[in-house]
Amino acid sequence: MYEVRFHGRGGQGAVMAAQALADAAFVEGNYAVAFPWFGAERRGAPVLAFTRVDENKINIKTRVYNPDYIVVLDEKLMDFVNVAEGLSPDGMAILNSPLDPEEVDLGMSVKTATVDATTVALEVLGAPITNSAILGAFASATGLVSIDSVKQGILDIFGPRIGDKLAEKNARAAAAAHDRIKIGKCKAERTYPEAKKWLPTYQEMPLSLATKPTKTDSGLVGPGSSVENKTGSWRTFTPKYDEEACTNCLMCWFYCPDAAIKRLEPPKKVGFDMDYCKGCGICEEVCPADAIEMVR
Amino acid sequence: MAERRIVTGNYAAAYGALLSRVEVIAAYPITPQTFIVEHVSEFVNDGKLDAEYMPVESEHSAMSACVAATATGVRSYTATSSQGLALMHEVLYVAAGLHLPIVMPVVNRTIAAPIGIWCEHNDTMAERDSGWLQCFCENNQEVLDMVVQAYKVAENTKVLLPVMVNLDAFILSHTVEPVEFPDQKDVDEFLPRYDPKHAYLRPKDPMVVGSFASPEYIQEFRYQTEESTQNAKEVIRQVNDEFAEKFGRDYGGAVEEYRMDDAEVALITLGTVSATTRDVVDELRDEGKSVGLVKMRWFRPYPTEIIRDIASRVKALGVYDRAMSFGTGGPSYMDTKSALYGHSTIPVLGFLAGLGGRDVMVKDIRLMFERTLEAAKKDRVEKEVTWIGTRGVQP
Ligand code: SF4
Ligand code: SF4
């Protein structure tokens, strides 16, 4: 059995990637399962997905805590998420990164494959969606599944959701990434701060979780606590705002899921709070005046 | 001086709200509860009760409004029955989960299909895992008294759970009988204003109520409900005693024992059948049979320890249910067996009668006792669940 943990962000397709890998392994005659793990946060929040593959039937239904492989779809994630946590020392990291493996620092030194999946995706798909390209990299870096099976997995899983044509393109992205990996060993220089969670006993927990603003080891909880959650660090794409074109219709202000758009005193119209803008692009989608453009 | 009047169970349930000085009422009428809604709306209209009355468009909204009102820190009230309770189902869990001490009389009515308006306990029994506490009443006096007691139990800081006060459709809701009305002054002393410290919505003192919780929190959250439910056992006893002291009516707490001193067998009952059973016990005693009544008053929390104690004193137990959990037995019967497992080996028999409002007659109750006495003699259970008065079914 081998176990894979995918790290991505809501909307990047980590779950579909995990499923496509399971499908690829299944096509090769294995038993495989894939499942997501995410909280209630919306687009842009870190998400996990898992794939388990074995020759025999897999019964275990727990999450994966000591993966053999980690796959990271989002290059910025490694800066503040300890993606290698629990990774087997004999395991391997497959990362979306333009850097060489030796330049990447995961806080532990393991066999690492890097691929500039974002560039591959932009070239092949015309969009920075890396979930298919990274699977091509996984196939060539690990040799656990053939690229043909990965392409089949992408067609099987992506096809019903995004259409066969786009799925074909994604399969091509996987093939393109397959030949563009760099293999080496990453650095172990940084230490990630220990992730602290507020885990009160039932006695310590406010009854029914009715919570006043409370300082805990893991920060503020209760009303106003999202102020501490600077979602701006999630951002890969940034809204570029054209005040001239803006009609001040406030659609963007209404739709921004993180309340990162502020109404300004006239004659100014709206402003963007980069501490909280997570780069989801919803404002660009809803703006009727084309006054917002997402740029990398 | 407390006055005595002859009133319906519905009036008693409504008057209990008045005496408890509820501040928000949100309700939707359904037969046979409709008169409760009408009476409380009249109390408000006539200036007898200083409350916000919200005529809502459904029971789902009624419970939602009570949840919101109680979350702001006021005492709220509603009442329902049968399908209305079923429509509230999901919001019942919100009220209990958020520890909002709402009190709600439920006029126990059969739940469709088939459509019927008469007494059966399958409406509230379906909600026995919702986290609500539940008590059952035997007469209209008890209905009034229990609304007042229910607030006191519900709002106790060790409990903070909502309570259903159950009264049998028509047998209480539409029946007049004498009721003593306590003085407002005495009730005010007994039941102070609701002043929550755990959950309230006040903009100047912000608090998250009803938050999202990930798996790291929900199990502790559930354990809080379990602990509150367990705590309620002691609080029910205290409130009963305090009430008895002040108003002179002692209901015995979670369970009332009637002629149980030297009883060989006992019948556990819920609701109005308890009243008829008193007379049957007297009759059988006169005939020299050693029987007693165990009136189950608070079904949630289930009085496990008390039932174990009773089982240690008798040779067999019969359990009467007015609802069926299909394929097994009545809910009270199952809970009794579960409480006794590993603690007692006496025979425990289950009896079903009176479903859909069919009258439970003296002869039916006599049969329950006969069977229980037989089981005591043989020291074994020959038939676990007996349906009484069902055409085509041998009782
Ligand atoms: S400002 Fe735009 S891109 Fe940024 S979080 Fe809001 S909607 Fe998303
Ligand atoms: S949606 Fe576009 S036009 Fe409307 S306020 Fe926002 S930027 Fe301006």
Side-chain angles (χ1 to χ4, degrees):
Chain A
M1 167 136 65
Y2 66 89
E3 297 178 314
V4 188
R5 185 173 68 209
F6 289 78
H7 292 261
R9 292 189 178 282
Q12 287 180 337
V15 178
M16 271 163 77
Q19 291 178 345
L21 175 58
D23 190 274
F26 172 70
V27 165
E28 293 185 357
N30 293 293
Y31 196 97
V33 294
F35 52 98
W37 175 253
F38 34 62
E41 285 161 305
R42 289 162 291 189
R43 211 192 288 199
V47 299
L48 299 177
F50 305 96
T51 304
R52 273 196 183 97
V53 178
D54 196 13
E55 288 158 18
N56 302 311
K57 186 180 177 201
I58 297 166
N59 286 317
I60 188 162
K61 290 283 186 239
T62 69
R63 272 141 55 193
V64 172
Y65 296 95
N66 296 106
D68 302 297
Y69 302 93
I70 57 164
V71 178
V72 183
L73 278 71
D74 188 289
E75 47 196 295
K76 291 194 68 191
L77 216 47
M78 298 167 255
D79 290 341
F80 52 96
V81 176
N82 183 3
V83 293
E85 193 180 6
L87 175 62
S88 155
D90 309 326
M92 185 173 186
I94 295 95
L95 313 173
N96 171 21
S97 170
L99 303 175
D100 288 338
E102 287 70 24
E103 296 173 288
V104 180
D105 188 353
L106 291 183
M108 93 185 254
S109 182
V110 280
K111 200 172 168 198
T112 299
T114 56
V115 62
D116 187 356
T118 309
T119 299
V120 173
L122 284 169
E123 283 170 18
V124 182
L125 306 173
I129 299 170
T130 58
N131 59 346
S132 48
I134 202 84
L135 283 180
F138 180 89
S140 64
T142 66
L144 288 165
V145 280
S146 75
I147 186 65
D148 286 341
S149 303
V150 164
K151 285 163 79 177
Q152 188 60 48
I154 289 171
L155 293 178
D156 289 345
I157 297 294
F158 288 39
R161 308 233 193 125
I162 60 172
D164 290 342
K165 252 191 156 153
L166 259 181
E168 284 282 358
K169 268 190 168 182
N170 274 280
R172 281 207 296 281
H178 186 262
D179 304 327
R180 283 158 72 167
I181 62 164
K182 292 178 255 183
I183 294 200
K185 220 167 183 177
C186 67
K187 291 189 287 191
E189 279 166 17
R190 73 166 121 205
T191 45
Y192 290 93
E194 204 192 316
K196 282 203 183 119
K197 274 226 144 165
W198 180 56
L199 295 173
T201 62
Y202 86 93
Q203 297 96 331
E204 292 162 347
M205 201 169 90
L207 189 65
S208 79
L209 270 176
T211 314
K212 293 187 180 194
T214 312
K215 277 250 167 276
T216 71
D217 281 354
S218 60
L220 196 63
V221 296
S225 54
S226 55
V227 169
E228 285 191 353
N229 190 7
K230 297 243 160 102
T231 45
S233 65
W234 301 358
R235 194 174 59 243
T236 309
F237 289 82
T238 301
K240 200 174 115 218
Y241 170 59
D242 177 354
E243 191 164 23
E244 278 288 291
C246 172
T247 63
N248 207 10
C249 72
L250 298 179
M251 287 287 276
C252 57
W253 169 78
F254 185 77
Y255 273 96
C256 174
D258 281 70
I261 296 174
K262 307 281 173 218
R263 301 169 66 171
L264 303 177
E265 285 298 322
K268 288 199 155 299
K269 294 162 188 170
V270 295
F272 295 74
D273 186 338
M274 287 304 137
D275 278 351
Y276 299 102
C277 168
K278 62 187 179 186
C280 69
I282 289 175
C283 51
E284 178 193 43
E285 273 169 48
V286 299
C287 175
D290 286 335
I292 301 172
E293 190 198 344
M294 299 303 290
V295 294
R296 198 171 172 189
Chain B
M1 252 314 278
E3 78 173 308
R4 271 167 76 82
R5 274 189 282 155
I6 186 156
V7 298
T8 61
N10 278 341
Y11 189 87
Y15 207 87
L18 184 148
L19 286 172
S20 303
R21 293 195 190 272
V22 302
E23 292 165 277
V24 171
I25 299 154
Y28 189 83
I30 176 172
T31 300
Q33 156 268 29
T34 303
F35 285 111
I36 299 182
V37 179
E38 291 184 3
H39 292 315
V40 285
S41 66
E42 279 162 20
F43 295 154
V44 174
N45 182 63
D46 298 347
K48 289 183 189 154
L49 174 58
D50 183 16
E52 190 74 34
Y53 182 87
M54 300 171 70
V56 284
E57 75 283 10
S58 75
E59 288 86 354
H60 191 282
S61 299
M63 185 46 63
S64 301
C66 285
V67 162
T70 310
T72 67
V74 300
R75 187 174 286 157
S76 71
Y77 177 89
T78 186
T80 193
S81 188
S82 187
Q83 319 295 132
L85 183 65
L87 187 55
M88 280 181 183
H89 175 76
E90 63 162 330
V91 199
L92 295 178
Y93 282 71
V94 179
L98 297 183
H99 290 260
L100 301 173
I102 299 161
V103 169
M104 169 168 70
V106 179
V107 183
N108 287 125
R109 163 185 155 181
T110 188
I111 203 157
I115 298 172
I117 56 171
W118 300 277
C119 181
E120 190 166 329
H121 293 164
N122 58 351
D123 54 358
T124 47
M125 284 301 175
E127 308 300 346
R128 65 192 190 272
D129 294 339
S130 63
W132 281 63
L133 308 183
Q134 291 194 29
C135 64
F136 284 81
C137 301
E138 177 185 352
N139 55 45
N140 294 348
Q141 182 73 61
E142 193 172 16
V143 170
L144 185 151
D145 291 347
M146 287 318 292
V147 171
V148 175
Q149 284 195 33
Y151 277 112
K152 184 117 172 151
V153 171
E155 293 170 6
N156 186 293
T157 52
K158 288 192 159 135
V159 180
L160 291 165
L161 287 172
V163 180
M164 292 181 202
V165 176
N166 294 317
L167 58 149
D168 286 350
F170 296 97
I171 310 168
L172 291 185
S173 70
H174 285 60
T175 300
V176 295
E177 57 184 4
V179 169
E180 183 175 304
F181 289 77
D183 284 341
Q184 184 67 59
K185 186 175 81 44
D186 292 336
V187 176
D188 288 346
E189 283 166 14
F190 177 76
L191 184 68
R193 235 185 107 93
Y194 175 51
D195 181 22
K197 302 276 188 284
H198 69 299
Y200 49 79
L201 295 170
R202 287 172 205 145
K204 289 211 171 88
D205 182 11
M207 176 184 269
V208 173
V209 176
S211 62
F212 173 86
S214 54
E216 283 95 347
Y217 305 100
I218 296 179
Q219 203 158 308
E220 283 70 24
F221 193 105
R222 296 279 177 255
Y223 196 84
Q224 289 182 336
T225 304
E226 168 63 13
E227 191 184 52
S228 298
T229 307
Q230 294 290 353
N231 290 346
K233 293 178 179 177
E234 178 55 28
V235 173
I236 285 166
R237 164 55 65 190
Q238 288 164 6
V239 169
N240 175 84
D241 294 353
E242 209 180 307
F243 188 90
E245 172 93 21
K246 191 152 193 76
F247 300 98
R249 285 184 292 280
D250 185 347
Y251 290 98
V255 164
E256 185 204 332
E257 297 185 27
Y258 180 70
R259 301 195 75 167
M260 282 295 294
D261 280 348
D262 57 342
E264 253 175 57
V265 307
L267 184 67
I268 300 177
T269 58
L270 283 168
T272 51
V273 164
S274 313
T276 314
T277 304
R278 283 178 203 277
D279 284 4
V280 176
V281 165
D282 289 346
E283 274 177 33
L284 290 169
R285 285 278 181 170
D286 289 347
E287 294 164 22
K289 298 197 171 112
S290 179
V291 299
L293 161 69
V294 173
K295 174 187 164 192
M296 172 86 59
R297 302 185 61 251
W298 285 85
F299 183 66
R300 285 287 178 276
Y302 185 82
T304 307
E305 297 78 9
I306 297 173
I307 295 300
R308 279 182 194 155
D309 171 58
I310 288 167
S312 74
R313 293 186 265 127
V314 296
K315 294 191 179 133
L317 276 172
V319 185
Y320 164 72
D321 271 290
R322 205 161 198 152
M324 181 65 182
S325 179
F326 297 104
T328 50
S332 184
Y333 173 55
M334 292 195 298
D335 280 353
T336 307
K337 289 206 297 182
S338 155
L340 297 187
Y341 182 79
H343 292 262
S344 167
T345 53
I346 61 164
V348 183
L349 308 182
F351 300 103
L352 264 288
L355 302 189
R358 187 165 298 185
D359 217 12
V360 182
M361 292 185 281
V362 168
K363 70 174 169 60
D364 301 332
I365 299 168
R366 287 186 75 103
L367 182 65
M368 297 177 207
F369 275 116
E370 274 163 33
R371 289 291 164 83
T372 311
L373 282 163
E374 244 170 73
K377 202 144 121 216
K378 294 182 180 161
D379 195 24
R380 74 167 182 267
V381 177
E382 281 177 346
K383 188 172 190 178
E384 287 206 75
V385 179
T386 302
W387 287 60
I388 295 174
T390 318
R391 290 184 299 278
V393 178
Q394 189 63 39

